[in-house]
């Protein structure tokens, strides 16, 4: 039973965290909203003026916005598809009888702990370099023409790098979920004469539905803000081919110093993220009651 | 009764799993191998896999050319500092929500979670301007603050899920025996909470170590941690693969070891307890 005393103490204990997060969230957000209504460029200080919704109009009608929105959707969608499908397969494989499974698991998880700038540069240079990269050598050995990844298929190159980084996350969560699936449940189904295939579809996949949803939602939140991988490899180019929304806002803010437009873009990004967050918070909240 | 899979099947799945594991791990292995080659061999085609002239000269060169140690210390200070401060703020909060929940606890938790979902780029402009005005750009203090606040929701959530698993009966028993809240905290809760606190600490240290949005945008040299230091190799004149590999190996090795210890906590921390 929580007494009056503990409840009062509880409030005091929780206060620093709530206040810190409140300040962290509200102050910059209010500033972003305020800046987004100004014509404000850092290269031209002292000339700020109120322009209403003009920045939003400018940001949303800018061809760069549509291009970057499309790139964001392709990037998020492709990485999700790759990590969920491959992650499920790898998790199912690791859930089998495997000698030395813990070592294999370590190898599979490793990419997740590599900092984004390292994975991006290692992939860009050591693996994807059109002349001296390992992929080029493999292609040449097989009698194929090596691909100049960052010139011919820059977005695909970014997708592969990011998918490699997030594959361990999907695999690990799905493997954890699989291992909690009751062996007896599967066996009971087999005893009932269910074939392996139908066991898989009816029991395993059904059991994985929720963890897959969680993987999709969490990855979507993080993948919307992929930044370092683009920053160190392509710088958003060639042209706008690898500019996602996060990178577009960054370049407006810290390369063109256009505070007004970047702020309007920032709010657009917040709204987009919130659409996904809404669903994730509901799923987690439902889980909290159980 | 678990059926024993046939030896042939075990062999097949084992071989398949090792091949998959090796392929996923390969880029890291390749990077480590390259770090022991000379620049010439690192760049040569066809590549040599094991039979090259092994050398450690790149490791010495990385330190000589760019003061690796300085950036490594920054990484330790920033990741360690932000994690410790976040723990100090989060432990009392998580404790009170787990042991003295109020009707609003659920809403507070979900609200905290939702702050984590705000894209950092949405507040890049104001944070950058605030930092510029207060002289916090390229300062360790500034990075500690921003990473601490950024990870605080995850820290609170992880601690909360751990604390919630501590059986309440034990507290009741201690209270029956006349323990005060202070004693309860020191003798009963702390020993049971230590494993959860340690895991949370570990995972958040890793997340802060690898953070590459704020560190890239708010630091350049003085306070730059390893993420930024490695990014400096992206410039065309920095096309030294063996040195890039050596610097990268040094930057990820400690965290890879820590990371392997925290696999289980990873699932829990990053899914906010939605998958255990």
């Amino acid at each position: 039973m929580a007494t009056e005393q503990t409840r009062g103490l509880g409030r005091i204990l929780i206060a620093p965290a709530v206040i810190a997060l409140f300040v962290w969230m509200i102050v910059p957000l209010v500033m972003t909203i305020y800046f987004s209504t100004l014509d404000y460029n850092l290269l031209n200080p002292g000339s700020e003026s109120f322009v209403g919704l003009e920045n939003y109009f400018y940001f949303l009608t800018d061809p760069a916005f549509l291009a970057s929105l499309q790139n964001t959707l392709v990037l998020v969608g492709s990485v999700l598809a790759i990590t969920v499908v491959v992650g499920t397969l790898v998790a199912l494989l690791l859930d089998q009888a495997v000698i030395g499974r813990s070592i294999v698991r370590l190898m599979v998880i490793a990419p997740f702990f590599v900092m984004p700038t390292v994975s991006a540069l290692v992939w860009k240079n050591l693996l994807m370099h059109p002349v001296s990269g390992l992929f080029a050598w493999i292609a040449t050995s097989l009698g194929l023409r090596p691909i100049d990844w960052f010139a011919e298929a820059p977005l695909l190159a970014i997708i592969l790098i990011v998918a490699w980084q997030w594959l361990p996350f999907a695999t690990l969560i799905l493997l954890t979920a699989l291992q909690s699936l009751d062996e007896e449940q599967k066996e009971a189904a087999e005893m009932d004469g269910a074939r392996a295939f139908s066991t898989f579809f009816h029991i395993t996949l059904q059991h994985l539905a929720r963890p897959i949803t969680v993987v999709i939602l969490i990855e979507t939140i993080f993948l919307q803000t992929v930044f370092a991988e683009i920053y160190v490899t392509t710088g958003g180019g060639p042209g706008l081919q690898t500019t996602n929304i996060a990178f577009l806002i960054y370049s407006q803010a810290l390369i063109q110093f256009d505070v007004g437009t970047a702020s309007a873009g920032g709010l657009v990004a917040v709204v987009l993220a919130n659409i996904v967050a809404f669903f994730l918070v509901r799923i987690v909240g439902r889980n909290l009651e159980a | 009764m678990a059926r024993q899979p046939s030896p042939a099947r075990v062999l097949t799945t084992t071989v398949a799993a090792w091949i998959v594991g090796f392929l996923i791990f390969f880029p890291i292995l390749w990077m480590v191998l390259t770090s022991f080659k000379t620049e010439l061999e690192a760049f040569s085609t066809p590549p040599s896999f094991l039979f090259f002239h092994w050398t450690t000269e790149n490791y010495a060169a990385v330190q000589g050319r760019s003061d690796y140690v300085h950036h490594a210390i920054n990484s330790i200070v920033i990741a360690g500092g932000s994690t410790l401060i976040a723990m100090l703020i989060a432990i009392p909060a998580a404790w009170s929500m787990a042991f003295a929940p109020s009707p609003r606890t659920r809403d507070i938790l979900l609200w905290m979670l939702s702050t984590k979902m705000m894209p950092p780029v949405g507040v890049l402009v104001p944070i950058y301007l605030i930092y510029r005005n207060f002289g916090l750009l390229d300062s360790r203090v500034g990075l500690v603050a921003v990473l601490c606040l950024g990870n605080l929701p995850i820290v609170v959530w992880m601690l909360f899920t751990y604390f919630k698993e501590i059986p309440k009966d034990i507290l009741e028993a201690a209270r029956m025996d006349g323990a005060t809240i202070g004693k309860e905290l020191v003798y009963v809760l702390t020993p049971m909470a230590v494993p959860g606190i340690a895991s949370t600490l570990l995972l958040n240290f890793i997340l802060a170590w690898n953070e590459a949005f704020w560190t890239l945008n708010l630091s350049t040299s003085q306070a730059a941690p390893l993420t930024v230091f490695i990014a400096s190799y992206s410039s065309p004149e920095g096309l030294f693969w063996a040195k890039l590999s050596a610097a990268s190996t040094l930057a990820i090795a400690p965290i890879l070891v820590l990371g392997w210890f925290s696999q289980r906590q990873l699932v829990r921390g990053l899914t906010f307890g939605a998958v255990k």
Side-chain angles (χ1 to χ4, degrees):
Chain A
M1 280 274 93
T3 60
E4 268 313 302
Q5 190 200 5
T6 46
R7 211 167 279 158
L9 183 68
R11 260 186 229 124
I12 297 171
L13 292 178
I14 208 171
V18 170
I19 293 170
L21 279 179
F22 188 76
V23 172
W24 161 244
M25 187 160 106
I26 296 304
V27 173
L29 206 57
V30 170
M31 286 176 75
T32 307
I33 294 173
Y34 171 66
F35 289 148
S36 74
T37 62
L38 298 180
D39 177 13
Y40 181 7
N41 194 305
L42 288 182
L43 299 176
N44 206 356
S47 66
E48 298 93 66
S49 59
F50 180 78
V51 293
L53 295 177
E54 210 174 283
N55 285 324
Y56 291 91
F57 181 75
Y58 178 78
F59 183 81
L60 292 172
T61 55
D62 185 355
F65 168 69
L66 279 184
S68 67
L69 180 65
Q70 193 191 338
N71 289 337
T72 308
L73 292 177
V74 172
L75 175 67
V76 173
S78 314
V79 174
L80 278 179
I82 296 172
T83 54
V84 168
V85 172
V86 181
T88 307
L89 294 176
V90 177
L92 284 170
L93 179 61
L94 290 187
D95 192 39
Q96 308 297 311
V98 169
I99 299 164
R101 174 161 56 197
S102 55
I103 298 172
V104 175
R105 207 168 68 169
L106 287 184
M107 294 198 290
V108 170
I109 292 168
F112 193 78
F113 299 112
V114 177
M115 54 178 68
T117 45
V118 166
S119 13
L121 285 181
V122 165
W123 274 75
K124 182 188 178 184
N125 294 319
L126 272 50
L127 300 178
M128 287 175 165
H129 190 276
V131 179
S132 305
L134 199 68
F135 291 172
W137 174 71
I138 294 173
T140 322
S141 313
L142 296 174
L144 302 168
R145 187 183 62 90
I147 304 170
D148 186 354
W149 288 91
F150 285 92
E152 292 169 47
L155 191 57
L156 178 62
I158 304 265
I159 288 169
L160 289 178
I161 297 171
V162 177
W164 178 73
Q165 290 175 292
W166 283 92
L167 179 62
F169 176 77
T171 306
L172 191 58
I173 285 178
L174 297 177
L175 181 60
T176 309
L178 275 180
Q179 285 172 340
S180 73
L181 173 61
D182 202 356
E183 248 338 288
E184 282 172 27
Q185 248 184 331
K186 275 193 271 185
E187 270 162 38
E190 275 166 31
M191 296 259 243
D192 289 347
R195 285 174 306 127
F197 253 123
S198 78
T199 314
F200 175 73
F201 276 104
H202 289 112
I203 297 180
T204 311
L205 265 195
Q206 209 172 20
H207 180 79
L208 285 183
R210 222 177 67 97
I212 287 180
T213 315
V214 173
V215 167
I216 290 177
L217 290 170
I218 291 174
E219 282 195 15
T220 308
I221 286 167
F222 285 98
L223 293 176
Q224 282 183 63
T225 57
V226 163
F227 174 79
E229 295 82 353
I230 297 172
Y231 178 90
V232 298
T233 54
T234 63
L240 289 167
Q241 285 187 52
T242 56
T243 298
N244 66 354
I245 290 183
F247 198 83
L248 178 68
I249 298 166
Y250 153 80
S251 67
Q252 271 164 347
L254 299 186
I255 297 177
Q256 297 164 34
F257 294 109
D258 185 348
V259 171
T261 311
S263 299
L267 278 177
V268 172
V270 169
V271 170
L272 291 177
N274 270 306
I275 296 171
V276 183
F278 175 76
F279 292 105
L280 180 59
V281 168
R282 282 179 60 137
I283 288 191
V284 174
R286 213 178 299 145
N287 202 45
L288 208 59
E289 271 147 20
Chain B
M1 282 278 286
R3 278 178 315 153
Q4 283 297 323
S6 69
R9 183 162 169 180
V10 174
L11 190 68
T12 322
T13 49
T14 299
V15 170
W18 276 86
I19 291 174
V20 168
F22 180 79
L23 285 178
I24 294 176
F25 187 69
F26 183 78
I28 298 174
L29 180 68
W30 189 238
M31 173 192 82
V32 175
L33 286 177
T34 306
S35 76
F36 290 108
K37 297 177 182 175
T38 61
E39 290 295 349
L40 205 64
E41 281 169 321
F43 210 75
S44 71
T45 350
S48 46
F49 285 84
L50 284 173
F51 304 106
F52 51 84
H53 178 73
W54 288 69
T55 171
T56 54
E57 66 182 22
N58 300 305
Y59 288 89
V62 163
Q63 168 60 13
R65 175 166 163 270
S66 47
D67 200 2
Y68 169 86
V69 171
H70 171 74
H71 299 291
I73 291 173
N74 281 342
S75 270
I76 293 169
V77 170
I78 292 164
S82 66
T83 304
L84 284 180
I85 296 171
M87 296 296 285
L88 286 181
I89 301 174
I91 290 175
W95 179 82
S96 97
M97 287 194 282
F99 291 109
S102 76
R104 272 177 319 203
T105 297
R106 181 172 173 273
D107 293 333
I108 295 178
L109 270 171
L110 292 179
W111 170 74
M112 286 185 171
L113 177 63
S114 69
T115 67
K116 182 66 200 168
M117 293 168 195
M118 185 166 64
V121 77
V123 292
L124 172 64
V125 174
I127 297 283
Y128 184 85
L129 291 180
I130 292 173
Y131 271 45
R132 197 186 58 159
N133 292 346
F134 285 93
L136 288 170
L137 284 180
D138 204 14
S139 78
R140 288 177 185 172
V141 176
L143 285 178
V144 166
V146 79
L147 294 194
C148 168
L149 289 166
N151 281 336
L152 191 56
I154 296 190
V155 180
V156 172
W157 259 92
M158 279 189 75
L159 288 171
F160 173 76
T161 59
Y162 280 114
F163 289 176
K164 246 187 89 150
E165 281 172 11
I166 298 176
K168 298 254 185 341
D169 304 2
I170 287 195
L171 290 185
E172 308 271 321
R175 255 173 233 170
M176 296 275 238
D177 292 345
T180 60
I181 289 188
K183 277 190 183 156
E184 187 182 291
L185 204 61
V186 175
Y187 295 110
V188 185
L189 281 180
T190 311
M192 301 196 71
V194 163
I197 293 178
S199 321
T200 311
L201 203 75
L202 199 61
L203 177 63
N204 281 278
F205 185 79
I206 295 169
L207 289 179
W209 184 277
N210 288 341
E211 203 284 335
F213 179 78
W214 293 114
T215 50
L216 282 173
N217 279 311
L218 299 178
S219 71
T220 48
S221 56
Q222 239 1 68
L226 291 169
T227 43
V228 180
F229 164 61
I230 299 292
S232 71
Y233 278 86
S234 64
S235 57
E237 79 269 20
L239 214 70
F240 297 110
W241 290 7
K243 289 182 193 66
L244 164 68
S245 300
S248 299
T249 304
L250 285 172
I252 70 163
I255 230 61
L256 207 52
V257 175
L258 286 183
W260 279 339
F261 283 117
S262 70
Q263 299 173 42
R264 289 265 156 208
Q265 287 67 41
L266 182 80
V267 173
R268 196 173 177 143
L270 289 176
T271 60
F272 306 101
V275 175
K276 273 183 202 159

